[in-house]
Amino acid sequence: MKRTNLLAATALVLVLACSAGAAPKIKALIIDGQNNHDWKSTTPLLKKMLEETGLFSVDVATSPPKGGDMSGFKPDFAAYRLVLSNYNGTDWPEETKQAFEAFVRNGGGFIVYHASDNPFRNWKEYNEMIGLGGWEGRNEKDGPYFHWRDGMLAADEAPGPGGHHGKAHPFKVTIRNASHPITRGLPEEWMHVTDELYDKMRGPGKNMTVLATGYADPATGGIGEHEPLLLTITYGKGRVFHTMLGHGPEAISCVGFIATLQRGAEWAATGKVTQKVPGDSPTADRISTRQ
Ligand code: ZN
């Protein structure tokens, strides 16, 4: 065999060996472009977290800025198995909304991240997907408040605005469902870094499972209730993981945030979690962050 042919054959064997060894990546899409939060800093960090699992290849679809022409904003949701929203902005075109509904209904995974539970108050299907939402004028017409009382989720029909948080501070996250694939094996209580603790969230709360709560302490401006912070929702054949945590880069440096996001992403995309519990998880009295 000539040397050039030998090299070509060797290269071919290497290519085959590599492609046989690595499972194809799950295609994921992050949506951003409008948000009253620092999406330009958080999107690259979220992208890195998903890619670090070795499971995902991640694209980003950035919408026109607020006030821009949204008519051409049509991400190809159907090309992905997971969509993570880092978007809190103006309405999407009708065609985009319908494509997104079809994506989740047909079995797509969806991650609702922090303020992406704020927009689209008048989009009924979106509110069913996120389970709970806040701000944007939400009130009792959008569904009850939900609190964790006496070991179970309780709907509260009291009237009033939806969506509120006290002063950002470190707080304890308490797992309320330790048998779910996302939370299995994680510490049942862990200290989260300084972040906003959303309370008074409202919504239809249909097909919703609360995985973890935080106590909205009146001492830091909270409402004195244990509030849902990590949720799953099923919508059609689709799986939704909703994390209310993660106001900014510091908040998402928490290993508890990272682990639940990575595990939530795998679960939303596949229905299973194969990732190990991280060895540097926070504990009930010790924060743990990664830079
Ligand atoms: Zn925030």
Side-chain angles (χ1 to χ4, degrees):
M1 194 181 279
K2 283 186 187 166
R3 185 171 167 77
T4 47
N5 285 346
L6 181 63
L7 282 171
T10 308
L12 181 65
V13 166
L14 283 172
V15 166
L16 289 174
C18 290
S19 58
K25 305 265 191 203
I26 300 168
K27 281 173 65 71
L29 179 70
I30 298 178
I31 308 280
D32 64 12
Q34 295 182 30
N35 205 321
N36 60 331
H37 290 69
D38 184 8
W39 60 271
K40 288 183 182 172
S41 295
T42 51
T43 286
L45 296 169
L46 297 165
K47 183 173 188 286
K48 184 163 159 264
M49 285 174 205
L50 295 183
E51 288 170 345
E52 273 173 358
T53 64
L55 298 169
F56 296 99
S57 66
V58 184
D59 296 330
V60 178
T62 301
S63 78
K66 192 171 182 180
D69 176 11
M70 291 292 284
S71 63
F73 184 62
K74 296 174 184 172
D76 183 13
F77 299 118
Y80 296 90
R81 280 175 70 189
L82 180 75
V83 171
L84 185 160
S85 178
N86 189 11
Y87 181 90
N88 177 15
T90 48
D91 280 359
W92 295 344
E94 195 55 37
E95 184 186 335
T96 304
K97 288 160 79 170
Q98 287 184 11
F100 188 66
E101 287 173 23
F103 164 77
V104 182
R105 193 185 306 116
N106 294 334
F110 176 30
I111 297 191
V112 185
Y113 158 62
H114 196 60
S116 68
D117 61 19
N118 292 194
F120 308 133
R121 181 194 171 191
N122 297 316
W123 181 4
K124 180 172 174 284
E125 301 303 314
Y126 186 80
N127 285 278
E128 291 200 1
M129 292 176 204
I130 66 176
L132 299 176
W135 295 275
E136 302 294 317
R138 281 178 175 81
N139 59 30
E140 58 278 9
K141 294 195 183 86
D142 301 280
Y145 298 122
F146 285 90
H147 311 298
W148 192 269
R149 291 174 174 166
D150 303 321
M152 56 173 21
L153 189 63
D156 173 357
E157 303 284 351
H164 167 263
H165 58 76
K167 187 170 171 283
H169 64 290
F171 53 86
K172 193 183 285 179
V173 173
T174 302
I175 303 293
R176 302 296 187 176
N177 181 335
S179 60
H180 194 279
I182 297 173
T183 47
R184 196 178 297 146
L186 295 180
E188 293 202 7
E189 293 186 322
W190 40 274
M191 276 305 289
H192 181 47
V193 293
T194 294
D195 198 354
E196 293 165 347
L197 198 169
Y198 280 8
D199 62 25
K200 289 193 173 181
M201 300 298 276
R202 284 189 172 277
K206 280 201 239 171
N207 305 316
M208 179 172 86
T209 301
V210 173
L211 300 184
T213 62
Y215 179 62
D217 193 335
T220 48
I223 58 162
E225 296 275 359
H226 294 272
E227 297 292 273
L229 298 179
L230 302 178
L231 327 166
T232 60
I233 300 98
T234 54
Y235 177 86
K237 292 183 193 155
R239 286 174 295 268
V240 181
F241 173 62
H242 181 167
T243 177
M244 295 191 191
L245 304 175
H247 175 74
E250 183 193 1
I252 67 175
S253 71
C254 169
V255 177
F257 175 88
I258 296 168
T260 50
L261 186 90
Q262 290 174 328
R263 297 167 70 88
E266 186 180 4
W267 176 80
T270 70
K272 293 183 292 197
V273 176
T274 60
Q275 298 165 62
K276 289 196 178 79
V277 170
D280 57 345
S281 292
T283 64
D285 51 14
R286 187 177 51 80
I287 281 166
S288 175
T289 61
R290 289 185 201 152
Q291 296 312 316

